[in-house]
Amino acid sequence: MANILDGIPGGSILEGLDDWPVTATRQHYYELTRELVASTIAQMDLPAHELAQVEEAFIGAGLL
């Protein structure tokens, strides 16, 4: 089985953090994190069964 991180496109998943507002609430950061996770998973080039495993892990963590 391939490493689930192999499908992540180049660049850092955290590149957009500088664009987040400094005064954001914890709930707002949570929502932004969920959006970041969802967009990163959408960009991954994984077979369907491996993508399902990635999604299941993030759903279990409450981040998707």
Side-chain angles (χ1 to χ4, degrees), residues 8-55:
I8 295 177
S12 172
I13 191 171
L14 302 176
E15 285 176 354
L17 285 180
D18 291 335
D19 299 331
W20 292 10
V22 177
T23 58
T25 64
R26 179 177 291 180
Q27 180 63 31
H28 190 203
Y29 277 120
Y30 176 70
E31 292 167 5
L32 291 170
T33 301
R34 287 182 64 154
E35 290 174 18
L36 180 62
V37 167
S39 68
T40 301
I41 290 174
Q43 295 175 15
M44 296 175 81
D45 184 27
L46 294 174
H49 67 282
E50 291 180 11
L51 184 58
Q53 290 177 335
V54 172
E55 290 174 340

